[in-house]
Amino acid sequence: MTKVALVTGGSGGIGRAVALELAARGNRVAVNYYVGFAEAAAEVLEEIGSAGGEGVTVQADVSDPQDVAQMFATVTEQLGPVDILVNNAGITRDGLLLRMETDDWDAVLSTNLRSVYLCSKAALRPMVRSRWGRIVSISSVAGLSGNVGQANYAASKAGVVGFTKSVAKEVGSRGVTVNAIAPGFIDTDMTRKLPDEVRDAASGSIALGRFGLPREVASAVGYLASEDAAYITGQVLVVDGGMAL
Ligand code: NAP
């Protein structure tokens, strides 16, 4: 049966690829975007439509409780209750801890972790009621190994891991699986901001010798969100080309 999927930050690099992957797998997809990216989200929807899929775009700041409530109400009204939630929206505000501004800490924790709490909570009730659901959150290898200049980001992504394992235990008996993906370096706007020397050094530490593509993360999300992954929950799947070995 056709499922309804919601992808937060669905207009960006990985989110866009995830939205397209879930649509290609026959799901109807709600593409969330934040301020000023309506055009990018509309392009994703157009691409879904031209491949024969169906979906909607929905604007919301996923760190804001009222926006999240409104987003779920809109998606439920237009497509039906969310069966598959992909918590993908995320930001970086890098800096060494001794120089980090509290605003940068708060912004990253809100966008990357508070959003996961808000959206998962909103998605869970109908999933539990229908005895089927998939929550897949995009963590990061930084959340597993830490990274210089990313204390805020790594803390938020480690938080996603703890959240995932806890909620997996809470709702497993109701047919809902909760998993995370920890990408390494993926070629998106987020990593294009890095200086060339950092990108080169990073590539040298990856067994496959290159950055990943958004669709290589998306195919892992597609699998975890599918019926085939029904017996996998509370896991963190590392998609990093063999970087954190
Ligand atoms: P990206 O291209 O910058 O996309 C990030 C997305 O998050 C954008 O669509 C952005 O929407 C959205 N977003 C930011 N703040 C939001 C908010 N408050 N409410 C709703 N949406 C918001 O970055 P990406 O590389 O695709 O990253 C996607 C996810 O993968 C993130 O969680 C990131 O931490 C994670 N990740 C990325 C890498 C990598 O190497 N790229 C590695 C590990 C993990 P707008 O554009 O509309 O603002």
Side-chain angles (χ1 to χ4, degrees), residues 187-204:
D187 192 20
T188 68
D189 284 352
M190 192 176 268
T191 49
R192 276 178 216 127
K193 288 188 289 198
L194 296 171
D196 282 348
E197 60 273 20
V198 175
R199 284 178 64 94
D200 290 347
S203 295

Side-chain angles (χ1 to χ4, degrees), residues 8-15 32-37 60-63 87-92 111-112 138-141 153 157 181-191 193:
T8 70
S11 63
I14 293 173
N32 158 251
Y33 64 96
Y34 191 29
V35 281
F37 284 82
D61 172 357
V62 289
S63 64
N87 288 308
N88 165 77
I91 58 169
T92 50
T111 304
N112 297 7
I138 309 298
S139 176
S140 167
V141 289
Y153 183 76
K157 295 301 188 179
I181 290 195
F185 283 97
I186 309 300
D187 192 20
T188 68
D189 284 352
M190 192 176 268
T191 49
K193 288 188 289 198

